[in-house]
Amino acid sequence: MQKPRQTFRGLWNISFGFFGIQIGFALQNSNMSRVFQTLGASMDDLPALWVAAPLTGLIVQPIIGHMSDRTWNRLGRRRPYFLTGAVLAALALLLMPLAPAFGAPLLFAAAMLWVLDASLNISMEPFRAFVGDMLNTDQHSAGYAVQTAFIGAGAVVGSIFPFLLEHLGVANVGAPGEIPDTVKWSFWAGGAALFAAVMWTIVTTREYSPEEQAAFHGAEPVETEAPMRMLASRSYASSGLWIVAGAVVCAIVALLDLEKELLLLGGLLAVYGVLSAVAISMAKQGRSANMLSSIVGDFSGMPEVMKRLAVVQFFTWSALFIMWINTTPVVTQYVFGSTDTASAAYNEGANWVNVLFTVYNGVAALAALALLPAMSRRFGQVTTHAICLVLGAIGFLMFFFVRDAQVLLLAEVGIGVAWASILAMPYAILASNLPQAKLGIYMGLFNVFVVVPQLLVATVMGQIMLWLFPGEPIWTMLFAAAVWLISAAFMLRVRAALPQSAA
């Protein structure tokens, strides 16, 4: 028994909520450095302030994936999480621009970023699995292409808000320490649009019940006990090594007086070691019906194709996080010639960053529907993704050399093509090669390799820049280009783990 084929209208309804979610991510990615700097943060403070975003993803996505695989109520399997995340994200977008009214505005803004990113992740992770739930394997590429188109379109809308509002007469420069009206109204309008888009998907879709899914995948072998058996057979030595590694990092930070955000990296290593030891202990006792052991067991027992794609994701998202943190400082400092957040030149440059982000997201939306399907048919999914990453690396190199704001639009074309592939190809490959019953947890665990590199950039990159290039964020773009070339090379290793027809 097969799932009914979805029409274009069905594909639209399944993914339209992602249009709203991406409006929220775009507002966050293109404006939070501006908000932080406006509230008094220095260039060196930005990585530490941004660390909330990847940290929340690291915690939230595996948990939500595990829970959504096991949820079924009146709203369905994934839709309860769509709704919860949308409500919380809309509230965070409403409150973020009010930060200057609080006693510690920078701390309040960082807290709201934490809430916003956690909420967006609560909605986003189930959307990835939702496509796999609703579509047959032969429609996965089309489903993720439509989802990517909505991601691009939502990011265009979110990124262009401040630029359009300025041209409609809304003030783009605020008093020192005050968030400009263009940013305030962008956040408020974005919150409303996010909630409305997610509600559209909730209202217009009907999820398949567990019984229907069992009928669709009745012949699919799903080994649920193997990861737990493997976890139970492990010694505690690996857990101890994680704990020791965390302690060593913390000791080096203290001895060499390094940036304090590096303590977070050491703490995370140690915490994972402790949690893995607890999970191993539970597995040895036969307590398989618990979230921690299930997550750690599935993480340890990832399919080979997922392991190889995880390496690609690690390098890919390192560069993306560098871009989101540093594009505003790079463009305002090197192209518009100002680091004064209260100056007209700085705010003109910050608005141009919104235009640049609009271009790469618009290109991604078009490429997802027009370019990627043709490339995939001609070269295969693996080679297509590698080519797109190389094009993106060329875009980052242009930021390193170019000082003309208009010419940087060309750089965003290459980055946009890469972004389209990043959002579609890895997930289409996974959805076609993972068991449907565990799609939520595997998608959540896959996104660990989205957020871990962001945490490393947030904690380590700031220290490296302080040592080598203090006050010169332009060098981060050269690093971003290099890691995308590395990820393209690792992508070619994925082919060996795929059936010949998918390579």
PDB file of all heavy atoms in Angstrom, residues 27 84 94 103 142 160 210 223 236 239 298 308 331 362 410:
ATOM      1  N   LEU A  27      14.803  37.341   9.907  1.00  0.00           N
ATOM      2  CA  LEU A  27      14.853  38.521  10.778  1.00  0.00           C
ATOM      3  C   LEU A  27      15.943  38.358  11.828  1.00  0.00           C
ATOM      4  O   LEU A  27      16.680  39.302  12.135  1.00  0.00           O
ATOM      5  CB  LEU A  27      13.497  38.732  11.442  1.00  0.00           C
ATOM      6  CG  LEU A  27      12.383  39.246  10.531  1.00  0.00           C
ATOM      7  CD1 LEU A  27      11.029  39.146  11.230  1.00  0.00           C
ATOM      8  CD2 LEU A  27      12.647  40.692  10.115  1.00  0.00           C
ATOM      9  N   THR A  84       3.036  24.961  18.815  1.00  0.00           N
ATOM     10  CA  THR A  84       3.744  25.420  20.015  1.00  0.00           C
ATOM     11  C   THR A  84       4.899  26.346  19.656  1.00  0.00           C
ATOM     12  O   THR A  84       5.057  27.433  20.242  1.00  0.00           O
ATOM     13  CB  THR A  84       4.284  24.209  20.805  1.00  0.00           C
ATOM     14  OG1 THR A  84       3.193  23.363  21.164  1.00  0.00           O
ATOM     15  CG2 THR A  84       5.015  24.660  22.056  1.00  0.00           C
ATOM     16  N   LEU A  94       7.710  39.759  19.119  1.00  0.00           N
ATOM     17  CA  LEU A  94       6.983  40.916  19.650  1.00  0.00           C
ATOM     18  C   LEU A  94       7.800  41.637  20.719  1.00  0.00           C
ATOM     19  O   LEU A  94       7.848  42.875  20.767  1.00  0.00           O
ATOM     20  CB  LEU A  94       5.647  40.449  20.243  1.00  0.00           C
ATOM     21  CG  LEU A  94       4.828  41.505  21.002  1.00  0.00           C
ATOM     22  CD1 LEU A  94       4.341  42.595  20.061  1.00  0.00           C
ATOM     23  CD2 LEU A  94       3.640  40.854  21.704  1.00  0.00           C
ATOM     24  N   GLY A 103      15.975  47.011  32.132  1.00  0.00           N
ATOM     25  CA  GLY A 103      17.148  47.472  32.865  1.00  0.00           C
ATOM     26  C   GLY A 103      18.464  46.979  32.300  1.00  0.00           C
ATOM     27  O   GLY A 103      19.470  47.667  32.391  1.00  0.00           O
ATOM     28  N   ALA A 142      10.911  16.428  -4.839  1.00  0.00           N
ATOM     29  CA  ALA A 142       9.953  17.497  -5.123  1.00  0.00           C
ATOM     30  C   ALA A 142       9.478  18.151  -3.835  1.00  0.00           C
ATOM     31  O   ALA A 142       9.356  19.387  -3.758  1.00  0.00           O
ATOM     32  CB  ALA A 142       8.758  16.934  -5.895  1.00  0.00           C
ATOM     33  N   ILE A 160      14.076  41.619   3.619  1.00  0.00           N
ATOM     34  CA  ILE A 160      13.841  42.893   2.938  1.00  0.00           C
ATOM     35  C   ILE A 160      12.979  43.851   3.751  1.00  0.00           C
ATOM     36  O   ILE A 160      12.870  45.035   3.422  1.00  0.00           O
ATOM     37  CB  ILE A 160      13.181  42.640   1.554  1.00  0.00           C
ATOM     38  CG1 ILE A 160      13.423  43.817   0.600  1.00  0.00           C
ATOM     39  CG2 ILE A 160      11.708  42.335   1.698  1.00  0.00           C
ATOM     40  CD1 ILE A 160      14.856  44.016   0.197  1.00  0.00           C
ATOM     41  N   PRO A 210      -0.945   6.563  13.006  1.00  0.00           N
ATOM     42  CA  PRO A 210       0.039   5.472  13.143  1.00  0.00           C
ATOM     43  C   PRO A 210      -0.368   4.207  12.413  1.00  0.00           C
ATOM     44  O   PRO A 210       0.482   3.508  11.846  1.00  0.00           O
ATOM     45  CB  PRO A 210       0.095   5.263  14.666  1.00  0.00           C
ATOM     46  CG  PRO A 210      -0.282   6.584  15.246  1.00  0.00           C
ATOM     47  CD  PRO A 210      -1.301   7.159  14.305  1.00  0.00           C
ATOM     48  N   GLU A 223      14.802  -1.751  12.805  1.00  0.00           N
ATOM     49  CA  GLU A 223      15.483  -2.353  13.941  1.00  0.00           C
ATOM     50  C   GLU A 223      15.568  -1.318  15.054  1.00  0.00           C
ATOM     51  O   GLU A 223      16.372  -0.392  15.000  1.00  0.00           O
ATOM     52  CB  GLU A 223      16.878  -2.811  13.512  1.00  0.00           C
ATOM     53  CG  GLU A 223      17.717  -3.410  14.644  1.00  0.00           C
ATOM     54  CD  GLU A 223      17.032  -4.566  15.336  1.00  0.00           C
ATOM     55  OE1 GLU A 223      17.156  -5.703  14.861  1.00  0.00           O
ATOM     56  OE2 GLU A 223      16.363  -4.313  16.356  1.00  0.00           O
ATOM     57  N   TYR A 236      32.418   2.404  29.770  1.00  0.00           N
ATOM     58  CA  TYR A 236      32.302   3.805  30.171  1.00  0.00           C
ATOM     59  C   TYR A 236      33.547   4.620  29.778  1.00  0.00           C
ATOM     60  O   TYR A 236      33.627   5.812  30.078  1.00  0.00           O
ATOM     61  CB  TYR A 236      32.088   3.918  31.679  1.00  0.00           C
ATOM     62  CG  TYR A 236      30.764   3.338  32.144  1.00  0.00           C
ATOM     63  CD1 TYR A 236      30.705   2.081  32.720  1.00  0.00           C
ATOM     64  CD2 TYR A 236      29.586   4.059  31.992  1.00  0.00           C
ATOM     65  CE1 TYR A 236      29.497   1.544  33.140  1.00  0.00           C
ATOM     66  CE2 TYR A 236      28.374   3.537  32.415  1.00  0.00           C
ATOM     67  CZ  TYR A 236      28.331   2.272  32.991  1.00  0.00           C
ATOM     68  OH  TYR A 236      27.127   1.756  33.404  1.00  0.00           O
ATOM     69  N   SER A 239      32.856   7.677  27.596  1.00  0.00           N
ATOM     70  CA  SER A 239      32.239   8.747  28.380  1.00  0.00           C
ATOM     71  C   SER A 239      33.293   9.485  29.199  1.00  0.00           C
ATOM     72  O   SER A 239      33.284  10.718  29.299  1.00  0.00           O
ATOM     73  CB  SER A 239      31.166   8.171  29.310  1.00  0.00           C
ATOM     74  OG  SER A 239      30.162   7.502  28.578  1.00  0.00           O
ATOM     75  N   ASP A 298      20.574   6.007  19.323  1.00  0.00           N
ATOM     76  CA  ASP A 298      20.387   6.305  17.898  1.00  0.00           C
ATOM     77  C   ASP A 298      21.537   7.151  17.353  1.00  0.00           C
ATOM     78  O   ASP A 298      21.931   7.003  16.189  1.00  0.00           O
ATOM     79  CB  ASP A 298      19.052   7.032  17.684  1.00  0.00           C
ATOM     80  CG  ASP A 298      17.867   6.081  17.804  1.00  0.00           C
ATOM     81  OD1 ASP A 298      18.008   4.912  17.437  1.00  0.00           O
ATOM     82  OD2 ASP A 298      16.796   6.521  18.263  1.00  0.00           O
ATOM     83  N   ARG A 308      28.225  10.052   6.852  1.00  0.00           N
ATOM     84  CA  ARG A 308      29.018  10.758   5.837  1.00  0.00           C
ATOM     85  C   ARG A 308      28.429  12.132   5.529  1.00  0.00           C
ATOM     86  O   ARG A 308      29.173  13.097   5.324  1.00  0.00           O
ATOM     87  CB  ARG A 308      29.100   9.900   4.573  1.00  0.00           C
ATOM     88  CG  ARG A 308      29.833   8.586   4.819  1.00  0.00           C
ATOM     89  CD  ARG A 308      30.198   7.865   3.537  1.00  0.00           C
ATOM     90  NE  ARG A 308      30.861   6.593   3.840  1.00  0.00           N
ATOM     91  CZ  ARG A 308      31.646   5.953   3.000  1.00  0.00           C
ATOM     92  NH1 ARG A 308      31.872   6.453   1.804  1.00  0.00           N
ATOM     93  NH2 ARG A 308      32.211   4.810   3.347  1.00  0.00           N
ATOM     94  N   VAL A 331      30.371  44.333   5.810  1.00  0.00           N
ATOM     95  CA  VAL A 331      29.826  45.273   4.828  1.00  0.00           C
ATOM     96  C   VAL A 331      29.845  46.697   5.364  1.00  0.00           C
ATOM     97  O   VAL A 331      30.229  47.635   4.646  1.00  0.00           O
ATOM     98  CB  VAL A 331      28.392  44.849   4.424  1.00  0.00           C
ATOM     99  CG1 VAL A 331      27.724  45.938   3.575  1.00  0.00           C
ATOM    100  CG2 VAL A 331      28.435  43.531   3.655  1.00  0.00           C
ATOM    101  N   GLY A 362      16.354  34.798  -2.409  1.00  0.00           N
ATOM    102  CA  GLY A 362      15.541  34.780  -3.624  1.00  0.00           C
ATOM    103  C   GLY A 362      16.114  33.846  -4.676  1.00  0.00           C
ATOM    104  O   GLY A 362      15.377  33.095  -5.328  1.00  0.00           O
ATOM    105  N   LEU A 410      26.448  39.852  -6.985  1.00  0.00           N
ATOM    106  CA  LEU A 410      26.863  38.658  -7.733  1.00  0.00           C
ATOM    107  C   LEU A 410      27.358  37.560  -6.798  1.00  0.00           C
ATOM    108  O   LEU A 410      27.140  36.375  -7.049  1.00  0.00           O
ATOM    109  CB  LEU A 410      27.961  39.031  -8.734  1.00  0.00           C
ATOM    110  CG  LEU A 410      27.552  39.951  -9.880  1.00  0.00           C
ATOM    111  CD1 LEU A 410      28.775  40.302 -10.724  1.00  0.00           C
ATOM    112  CD2 LEU A 410      26.478  39.298 -10.738  1.00  0.00           C
TER     113      LEU A 410
END
